[in-house]
Structure formats: structure tokens, C-alpha cells
Amino acid sequence: MDNQETIVQRAVINEPMFDSKTGEFGKGYSPDYGQTFIVQESVEGRIYHQETDAGRISELIFDKLIFRSDDGTLWELSVSNDGKPQTKKIEKSEEKEKES
């Protein structure tokens, strides 16, 4: 240990913080001991991040998924009993119901 610096690392898990990318405040974690912060829970609920959560979410089974196209249109994607993909445009009245 002579002539070597001791590096102290502290796990940052489920602590109040500001997200490094979005600036949003909430509880989250730091994957690199405080260099960056990722908020997972805010006053609006659970926050999912495509970069870190996509692999975890893809292991779950869903009846349908909702996607937003580049122009902001919402689309519902599901699969028929014979395995064919089915899409349905979500109309504005349905969109408001899904947000509440």
C-alpha cells in the first residue's frame, strides 16, 4: 500500500438525486459511484429508460404494447392467435383515456 492512493467507492442506490440526463428530481441510483445519476422514481411514478431498462422489460410478457411514431401518433401493437402482428391507431379520445 506504499505510494498508492486508496479509492473510496460508495454505492448510490435508491437515494434522492437529480437525473444527469434529464435534470428530473427523484429517487434513483448511480451505476458509476456518483459520476452519473439515473432517477427511477419521481412524483409522477416509475420512470423507465430505454438505454438501461429495455433488456429487463423485454423479458416480460405483454398482451399489447403502445408505440409513438415520429409524428406523435400512438399505435397499439398486438399479435393474433396465429402469430401475425396487428396494429391499431389509437384515436385522440382513446389517447386521453390511456394517459389517465
Side-chain angles (χ1 to χ4, degrees):
M1 289 295 248
D2 294 330
N3 298 329
Q4 289 184 350
E5 291 184 31
T6 302
I7 298 174
V8 177
Q9 294 180 335
R10 177 172 93 55
V12 180
I13 303 167
N14 201 30
E15 293 189 16
M17 63 183 59
F18 288 94
D19 191 288
S20 297
K21 188 180 276 188
T22 65
E24 187 166 9
F25 182 76
K27 280 191 168 184
Y29 70 99
S30 175
D32 50 14
Y33 304 104
Q35 298 296 312
T36 58
F37 300 100
I38 300 172
V39 170
Q40 292 185 301
E41 301 285 339
S42 75
V43 294
E44 296 181 7
R46 181 94 175 139
I47 300 171
Y48 295 98
H49 303 274
Q50 189 168 4
E51 302 85 23
T52 55
D53 295 327
R56 297 177 199 140
I57 293 171
S58 66
E59 294 176 3
L60 303 174
I61 297 173
F62 296 97
D63 295 328
K64 60 186 172 186
L65 297 172
I66 297 175
F67 293 92
R68 184 181 318 274
S69 63
D70 289 339
D71 68 1
T73 305
L74 294 182
W75 293 90
E76 182 178 288
L77 173 66
S78 60
V79 179
S80 68
N81 287 335
D82 59 356
K84 294 181 181 164
Q86 299 176 319
T87 59
K88 175 186 163 194
K89 183 177 179 180
I90 297 176
E91 300 301 328
K92 292 291 181 186
S93 60
E94 293 179 81
E95 186 176 331
K96 291 192 184 298
E97 291 174 15
K98 299 219 183 282
E99 290 176 357
S100 56

